[in-house]
């Protein structure tokens, strides 16, 4: 596994690097992660806080978890891309979103959290048409 990771938000205003491998890669289906990601789950790689360097300004949102810890979610104020999450239960760590990484090919999901809350539609069915790239399609065709 490579030891340096980089990433950016959609508009490029926020960038980061992590100069160590992640501690763990997790997929979470909790209600809060689904709402933050805008899809059925979030996927993040947890790194030691001192391994991560962030450039650019982020906005944050905090909430209390089911076990009483404070969770902080950070996002780009310009394009809204979710950048990282922090939890007071792991104060020396930060979880970077895999969707913002420049290259996460070496990473694999190691744990799924709140699997009980996974929506039934969070899968690709056998009979679903798939396209390698953006299709030449509109709702009228």
């Amino acid at each position: 596994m490579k030891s340096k990771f980089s990433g950016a938000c959609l508009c490029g205003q926020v960038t980061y690097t992590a100069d160590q491998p992640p501690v763990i890669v997790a997929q979470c289906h909790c209600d809060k992660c689904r709402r933050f990601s805008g899809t059925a789950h979030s996927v993040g790689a947890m790194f030691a806080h001192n391994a991560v360097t962030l450039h650019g300004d982020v906005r944050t949102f905090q909430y209390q978890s089911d076990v009483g810890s404070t969770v902080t979610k950070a996002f780009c104020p310009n394009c809204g891309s979710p950048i990282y999450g922090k939890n007071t239960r792991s104060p020396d760590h930060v979880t970077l979103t895999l969707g913002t990484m420049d290259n996460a090919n070496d990473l694999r999901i190691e744990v799924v959290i709140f699997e009980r809350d996974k929506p039934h539609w969070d899968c690709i069915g056998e009979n679903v048409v798939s396209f390698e790239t953006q299709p030449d399609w509109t709702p009228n065709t």
Side-chain angles (χ1 to χ4, degrees), residues 17-88:
T17 57
D19 62 9
Q20 295 174 7
V23 175
I24 195 162
V25 178
Q27 178 174 301
C28 184
H29 292 276
C30 79
D31 179 58
K32 303 224 178 8
C33 282
R34 289 195 326 258
R35 291 178 188 277
F36 186 64
S37 71
T39 188
H41 59 267
S42 66
V43 180
M46 180 184 278
F47 293 88
H49 191 273
N50 62 4
V52 177
T53 303
L54 183 74
H55 299 283
D57 293 326
V58 295
R59 296 292 178 268
T60 60
F61 176 75
Q62 292 185 329
Y63 60 89
Q64 294 301 120
S65 75
D66 291 346
V67 296
S69 61
T70 301
V71 177
T72 302
K73 298 288 191 176
F75 57 94
C76 173
N78 188 51
C79 67
S81 295
I83 303 298
Y84 69 80
K86 293 187 337 184
N87 189 314
T88 55

